Amino acid sequence: MSYKVDITIIGAGVIGLAIAAQVGSEDREVYVLEKNETFGQEISSRHSEIIHAGIYYPEGSLKARMCVIGNRILYELCERYGIGHRKLGKLIVATSDEESGELQALLEQGQRNGAQGLRMLSKPEIKELEPNITGVAAISSPSTGIIDSHALMKHFVASARGKGVQIVYQTKVVGMEKVANGYELSVEDSTGTFSFTTRLLVNCAGLQSDNVAELAGIDIAKAGYQLHYCKGEYFSVGRGKSTLVKRLIYPVPSASFTGLGIHVTLDLGGRMRLGPSVQYVDSIDYTVDSQHKSLFYDSARRFLPFLGYDDLEPEMAGIRPKLQEPGGDFRDFVIRDESDKGLPGFVNLIGIESPGLTAAPAIAEYVGSLVKEQLGK
Ligand SMILES: Cc1cc2nc3c(=O)[nH]c(=O)nc-3n(C[C@H](O)[C@H](O)[C@H](O)COP(=O)(O)OP(=O)(O)OC[C@H]3O[C@@H](n4cnc5c(N)ncnc54)[C@H](O)[C@@H]3O)c2cc1C
């Protein structure tokens, strides 16, 4: 039996697009199906746009490995294709002796992970680099930076199309069934519902990736694939304060590690914002609650003494697709071919939260190798 479609990728966020650019090739029929009007309308357009270094994640985890490799590849892509970016560097700042003790363990973990150029700074060294912040010690991470993530996605779209990949918008995958040597997909677009057969299927459906896995008959509770939505709000910092720091400034993360702590980000236009916060929610709602302003102010004021309450304005929010339950342990990315569940050639990517943007090109290479194994070419 010959297949019209070799590979179908569900979702045109940064992950699906990076994979499309990786697996596209003249001798393969590859489709990306996206339910929205265009690419990158969900998680991939509501985040901090930071190229992370790979400090926080447990050694050997996919998050650590993919982040460190992705960091290197992203800078190479940015240089080669003129994608907007700045290697600003970042400081993780301790404001008490207790936090200072935690920094050492974090530094060692980052070094074991292979994050580049990390070093501990003393109080005078912090003052020299960032005279306007307060800290007793800090980790300097020179390979952390910022990127124009829309331009990155545009690059992946162009690269994928250049290799013959078809990206189809306003097309939602609503069903799938295992058939001999592949999957029959049911798809809904403005004209109705139709189906076709694909040999391989790559689930990059972001916030809906657990539901998409379920469509294939996977018991997501048993597999540990159930997602928990976790909202991150941002507040902009106005009134001319944006120029008072030159780097990204982070606090020491909490032990539960649900996020990196409310931190200072700068965008390519030099605008400063605080965020993201961490709030488990039941549904997708991007409004920012202005009553959360004092939480942002109190968190950031510890290391940003120049911050005034009136400098902060609600800006935007994103939703993390978390596998980690509230109060639960660290969970890694799920990136796997489901042959052991009787679904060979069905590759699931679930729980691709931060550092997913940084890791995207490394994840794409990894999925590319899984695809090669399945296709045998
Ligand atoms: C608040 C926040 C801050 C972050 N900050 C950073 C950061 O600074 N640095 C970093 O490296 N990472 C960061 N991340 C993580 C990063 O943004 C994500 O890992 C990445 O964007 C995930 O991309 P994705 O393609 O998996 O998901 P998405 O961009 O959501 O794409 C999934 C796509 O699948 C589509 N889809 C879903 N179901 C279907 C279906 N049935 N049929 C067809 N299409 C479907 C959706 O419409 C969507 O477009 C952050 C995340 C958040 C939430």
Side-chain angles (χ1 to χ4, degrees):
M1 188 175 178
S2 70
Y3 284 91
K4 242 187 154 177
V5 176
D6 292 299
I7 306 173
T8 302
I9 297 166
I10 306 172
V14 70
I15 300 295
L17 294 174
I19 292 171
Q22 177 77 30
V23 303
S25 117
E26 275 171 14
D27 60 350
R28 290 175 185 163
E29 196 85 24
V30 181
Y31 275 78
V32 178
L33 305 182
E34 168 55 55
K35 66 178 167 57
N36 293 331
E37 275 177 14
T38 187
F39 64 87
Q41 296 295 291
E42 301 206 353
I43 313 173
S44 299
S45 55
R46 296 178 162 275
H47 54 63
S48 308
E49 299 200 293
I50 290 171
I51 303 178
H52 286 299
I55 301 171
Y56 301 91
Y57 322 102
E59 192 184 358
S61 62
L62 283 173
K63 283 183 178 171
R65 284 159 45 209
M66 303 282 127
C67 185
V68 170
I69 300 169
N71 175 291
R72 176 182 50 77
I73 305 177
L74 272 193
Y75 284 119
E76 285 169 9
L77 286 178
C78 288
E79 290 294 337
R80 195 171 328 137
Y81 297 104
I83 299 166
H85 70 291
R86 273 179 70 203
K87 212 180 207 176
L88 293 173
K90 116 174 176 183
L91 301 186
I92 307 174
V93 180
T95 52
S96 66
D97 289 343
E98 195 192 339
E99 282 187 350
S100 196
E102 291 166 34
L103 274 189
Q104 186 58 34
L106 202 54
L107 177 80
E108 286 166 18
Q109 175 157 287
Q111 286 170 333
R112 281 197 303 272
N113 288 348
Q116 296 296 301
L118 301 181
R119 72 183 184 96
M120 197 66 90
L121 301 182
S122 63
K123 195 172 171 179
E125 286 173 311
I126 299 173
K127 271 282 163 251
E128 204 173 304
L129 292 178
E130 294 288 352
N132 298 313
I133 70 168
T134 306
V136 295
I139 295 173
S140 160
S141 170
S143 75
T144 304
I146 51 178
I147 184 168
D148 178 344
S149 59
H150 187 76
L152 177 70
M153 287 191 280
K154 266 174 82 175
H155 162 73
F156 287 140
V157 166
S159 167
R161 287 202 171 124
K163 293 174 176 178
V165 175
Q166 303 286 330
I167 304 177
V168 189
Y169 297 120
Q170 292 180 291
T171 303
K172 182 177 180 179
V173 174
V174 292
M176 61 184 71
E177 197 183 329
K178 175 87 191 78
V179 292
N181 261 332
Y183 296 87
E184 182 163 308
L185 281 191
S186 299
V187 165
E188 221 171 64
D189 68 7
S190 57
T191 63
T193 305
F194 62 96
S195 61
F196 69 94
T197 309
T198 181
R199 184 151 171 216
L200 303 192
L201 194 53
V202 185
N203 170 14
C204 306
L207 293 167
Q208 289 86 38
S209 53
D210 55 347
N211 304 133
V212 167
E214 208 166 27
L215 290 179
I218 292 177
D219 179 339
I220 56 170
K222 198 164 144 205
Y225 291 175
Q226 189 104 51
L227 286 176
H228 308 277
Y229 294 157
C230 183
K231 189 167 178 175
E233 294 179 329
Y234 294 85
F235 277 69
S236 61
V237 181
R239 297 158 64 100
K241 303 279 171 81
S242 288
T243 53
L244 293 178
V245 300
K246 299 181 206 66
R247 292 165 185 74
L248 307 163
I249 313 288
Y250 284 58
V252 177
S254 70
S256 65
F257 196 70
T258 36
L260 305 183
I262 289 175
H263 50 262
V264 178
T265 68
L266 297 166
D267 68 14
L268 287 166
R271 285 174 295 270
M272 184 191 281
R273 59 186 181 180
L274 298 179
S277 53
V278 172
Q279 186 194 359
Y280 280 89
V281 292
D282 295 328
S283 58
I284 297 171
D285 167 11
Y286 295 117
T287 52
V288 179
D289 186 341
S290 57
Q291 297 196 353
H292 291 162
K293 182 160 150 173
S294 51
L295 166 79
F296 282 75
Y297 176 72
D298 293 342
S299 305
R301 175 90 188 152
R302 289 184 299 132
F303 52 94
L304 297 185
F306 59 78
L307 197 66
Y309 191 75
D310 293 336
D311 299 340
L312 300 181
E313 290 293 337
E315 199 196 68
M316 63 109 171
I319 309 270
R320 304 172 181 87
K322 268 199 174 295
L323 288 166
Q324 184 180 355
E325 292 170 25
D329 291 334
F330 168 85
R331 290 286 308 273
D332 205 357
F333 294 151
V334 168
I335 306 175
R336 68 192 309 274
D337 172 87
E338 302 289 7
S339 292
D340 61 0
K341 295 188 180 68
L343 300 168
F346 181 34
V347 179
N348 269 319
L349 291 96
I350 304 179
I352 312 298
E353 55 167 330
S354 192
L357 170 68
T358 311
I363 290 176
E365 284 187 357
Y366 186 68
V367 172
S369 64
L370 296 177
V371 161
K372 225 176 192 169
E373 268 172 39
Q374 288 296 324
L375 286 179
K377 61 179 182 180

